Amino acid sequence: MNEVSVRPRETGVPAGWEAVIGLEVHVELSTASKMFCPCSTRFGAPPNSQVCPVCLGLPGVLPVPNRQAVELAVKAALALNCRVATYSKFDRKNYFYPDMPKNYQISQYDLPLAGDGYLEIPAGQGSKRVRIRRLHLEEDTGKSMHAADDIVTARYSLVDFNRAGIPLVEIVSEPDMSTPEEARLYLEKLKAIMQYCGVSDCRMEEGSLRCDINVSVRRPGQEAGTRTEIKNVNSFRGVERALAYEIARQVEVLESGGEVEQETRHWDEGAGRTHTLRTKEYAHDYRYFPDPDLPPLVLDPAWIEEIRRSLPELPDARRERYIREFGLPPYDAAVITASRALAEFFEETVRVYPQPKTVSNWVMGEVRRYLNESGLEPEEIPLQPAALAELLAMVERGAINMRVAKQVFTEMCQTGRLAPEIVREKGLEQVSDEALIERAVEEAIAANPAVVADYRKGREKALGFLVGQVMKATRGKANPQVVNRLLRDRLGLPGTEGV
Ligand SMILES: [Zn+2]
């Protein structure tokens, strides 16, 4: 197979073409036990330590639906503006695969739990609505591990059934997205909503949020072409990259006179490309039929309403409130509310230190930087909101300068210690003593005559260098305002030499 050479535009879609994208997202529900048996769902347990005759599909056992799973699925559906069916049923989806102990998966086919919903993604100055076709309950499969890099060359494979039977919802969108970026935004929004309502922890690296992509391309105004499916993409960036690659590949096939084949493809994150996994199975290949062991799922409308009333404030509502209540710019509000944990950390900090814009700058800047660099999730911020508030208050009353504050922040995260303690111990208090700063200013001027001359010729930038020298001489602790003022006093206005 050849690498594609068609270059996508910035949107990820080559000029003269349109992409039609739909996503199928599997979300593992945060239940304590599995969908149809009492086995634990804890992640990371030794292989096959959380299994029983029911989830192993041994003969003579009966599945019993998990009420908590149904409740979480209804919650997810309502948060996505879906209509919840008071009557749905479980079906058997039959296929033969080693990670399927029963040779069928319990799922929902023609009568799903919910459908007809939508969510909004950011688009330009406004938003775009992506419709949700259906949301249904099913059980997860086990997990195979191959004793090589891939299944073809493996000498043997091992199967862990701990995951078999964990409850999932599958959320199927309409093909309403038209760029890789929109697909990523959809997935981010979906994840945020699921986390907000406590339906799932959505840890992509643990597989609790997984995404299959359907994509086809067409000339504007024409009917959609043949689509391919990309299986199990497990990062936001992966979704965007896999789509850009696959769209370019399809366009190249069509532009060179070929035909796109309907097939399932695999996204190879390392190689940055998709390749054929198998040609498409059709729904009838699964020989769906109603599960004879499970009665239809009949829900009391009053219970559905009760769940609706229990929904928390969702990301869009919270974003609007941050703009209204805290006066945050829409951009800040969107970034912070994209994660429930980040939003809660922000609000807690503002409660103790009521300067929303300052807190927002720190959350969007230093907090997110630290999370990125240390590979932590927002739920794992190693700092109490009150501790950040204390640090910000120290900056405000001039006890430390901003530069030192950032350094102290990192140390607080790393050691769990509090700002005043770190500042005291390391002697980081801001120096505002003018006599002391003045000495450093004079030294900097004396040591850098060329820079001073530059500044006097009108190069305002030269001042920055001198400020840097003074900060260095005071080990970063000088009050920057005082340094600036004293330097300007000594040097006069730029461009005034010889006047
Ligand atoms: Zn079990």
Side-chain angles (χ1 to χ4, degrees):
M1 234 165 308
N2 296 322
E3 292 295 308
V4 295
S5 57
V6 174
R7 279 174 62 91
R9 291 179 302 169
E10 256 171 46
T11 58
V13 183
W17 291 90
E18 279 176 5
V20 180
I21 302 164
L23 298 187
E24 292 172 16
V25 180
H26 288 91
V27 178
E28 259 184 19
L29 300 176
S30 292
T31 53
S33 59
K34 291 187 180 179
M35 184 67 221
F36 300 109
C37 67
C39 288
S40 165
T41 57
R42 194 165 60 84
F43 182 82
N48 297 309
S49 63
Q50 298 176 164
V51 293
C52 73
V54 176
C55 54
L56 286 176
L58 301 183
V61 296
L62 277 179
V64 178
N66 178 341
R67 182 184 168 93
Q68 195 198 2
V70 177
E71 181 178 340
L72 291 179
V74 169
K75 216 174 218 184
L78 294 172
L80 295 170
N81 306 294
C82 288
R83 260 211 313 260
V84 176
T86 49
Y87 182 97
S88 66
K89 69 174 172 61
F90 289 108
D91 302 277
R92 289 186 180 183
K93 180 181 182 179
N94 294 275
Y95 62 97
F96 196 75
Y97 204 71
D99 60 12
M100 288 280 302
K102 300 193 281 270
N103 287 334
Y104 64 82
Q105 178 184 27
I106 303 177
S107 182
Q108 295 191 300
Y109 181 48
D110 54 341
L111 293 174
L113 180 74
D116 217 2
Y118 64 87
L119 60 74
E120 306 268 354
I121 56 171
Q125 294 302 309
S127 63
K128 172 175 175 174
R129 182 168 287 195
V130 178
R131 292 167 301 156
I132 287 158
R133 183 184 299 166
R134 59 183 281 148
L135 179 152
H136 66 254
L137 260 170
E138 61 185 35
E139 54 176 349
D140 211 343
T141 61
K143 220 166 152 178
S144 342
M145 276 151 295
H146 309 295
D149 285 341
D150 66 86
I151 192 167
V152 181
T153 54
R155 278 195 304 121
Y156 60 89
S157 295
L158 301 167
V159 191
D160 175 5
F161 289 120
N162 281 353
R163 204 180 65 182
I166 289 185
L168 294 177
V169 285
E170 180 173 341
I171 301 163
V172 182
S173 83
E174 295 290 348
D176 287 348
M177 290 155 278
S178 46
T179 64
E181 188 194 17
E182 284 184 1
R184 174 179 54 80
L185 291 169
Y186 170 87
L187 194 60
E188 283 175 358
K189 192 55 162 295
L190 189 64
K191 176 182 174 184
I193 293 172
M194 293 300 114
Q195 285 182 324
Y196 268 72
C197 50
V199 161
S200 171
D201 60 19
C202 294
R203 289 180 188 270
M204 293 181 98
E205 71 283 3
E206 292 181 6
S208 55
L209 182 76
R210 311 196 289 274
C211 180
D212 300 342
I213 307 169
N214 288 303
V215 56
S216 64
V217 297
R218 66 181 176 200
R219 294 286 189 185
Q222 294 190 345
E223 270 184 44
T226 306
R227 63 192 173 89
T228 59
E229 184 181 23
I230 311 168
K231 276 284 186 198
N232 275 334
V233 183
N234 54 13
S235 73
F236 294 123
R237 211 171 102 76
V239 166
E240 230 175 337
R241 288 176 68 213
L243 270 167
Y245 181 91
E246 181 60 14
I247 290 166
R249 188 191 69 84
Q250 290 187 13
V251 165
E252 184 154 290
V253 167
L254 294 172
E255 283 187 344
S256 60
E259 270 178 41
V260 173
E261 260 183 83
Q262 180 166 354
E263 62 184 0
T264 301
R265 298 177 70 85
H266 169 75
W267 166 245
D268 183 337
E269 185 88 47
R273 48 186 304 237
T274 64
H275 57 78
T276 302
L277 203 60
R278 55 180 181 262
T279 52
K280 185 76 188 167
E281 311 102 337
Y282 293 88
H284 59 252
D285 291 342
Y286 290 128
R287 295 173 292 121
Y288 277 103
F289 63 85
D291 193 305
D293 289 342
L294 286 158
L297 194 56
V298 179
L299 305 183
D300 180 355
W303 189 50
I304 297 173
E305 280 316 301
E306 199 181 301
I307 296 170
R308 190 192 300 279
R309 281 194 302 274
S310 78
L311 282 180
E313 183 185 38
L314 294 172
D316 288 349
R318 193 176 279 220
R319 188 190 66 225
E320 292 309 314
R321 180 165 65 79
Y322 283 8
I323 296 170
R324 204 175 57 238
E325 190 175 308
F326 296 131
L328 284 194
Y331 176 80
D332 293 37
V335 170
I336 289 174
T337 57
S339 146
R340 179 180 180 170
L342 214 54
E344 247 131 54
F345 183 85
F346 165 80
E347 263 189 82
E348 281 287 308
T349 312
V350 170
R351 205 162 296 148
V352 198
Y353 183 77
Q355 306 228 22
K357 183 56 186 152
T358 307
V359 176
S360 150
N361 288 345
W362 273 77
V363 170
M364 294 204 307
E366 293 305 299
V367 173
R368 286 204 310 157
R369 180 191 57 74
Y370 187 80
L371 292 176
N372 276 339
E373 285 172 5
S374 51
L376 295 176
E377 295 290 326
E379 299 78 54
E380 302 165 325
I381 300 174
L383 184 74
Q384 291 300 314
L388 175 60
E390 188 175 33
L391 176 71
L392 300 187
M394 288 178 81
V395 178
E396 192 184 342
R397 65 167 187 269
I400 50 174
N401 66 33
M402 194 57 112
R403 213 188 99 160
V404 167
K406 289 181 178 176
Q407 178 192 332
V408 171
F409 173 81
T410 304
E411 194 161 336
M412 289 166 78
C413 290
Q414 283 165 350
T415 63
R417 295 166 70 207
L418 297 175
E421 198 187 327
I422 297 170
V423 168
R424 202 178 323 118
E425 188 185 287
K426 301 209 156 173
L428 295 170
E429 294 88 356
Q430 174 159 269
V431 175
S432 298
D433 177 345
E434 298 213 2
L436 208 140
I437 296 176
E438 205 160 332
R439 220 167 334 167
V441 163
E442 267 156 20
E443 278 165 23
I445 289 174
N448 299 283
V451 182
V452 171
D454 267 2
Y455 175 77
R456 291 202 163 123
K457 277 186 215 133
R459 282 197 53 221
E460 179 75 16
K461 267 193 190 158
L463 190 72
F465 176 82
L466 295 171
V467 172
Q469 293 303 107
V470 176
M471 293 307 280
K472 210 162 135 192
T474 57
R475 290 178 43 227
K477 299 185 297 182
N479 180 329
Q481 277 101 36
V482 177
V483 174
N484 263 281
R485 178 163 52 76
L486 292 180
L487 266 172
R488 283 180 197 276
D489 280 355
R490 285 286 172 289
L491 297 171
L493 290 174
T496 53
E497 192 192 24
V499 173

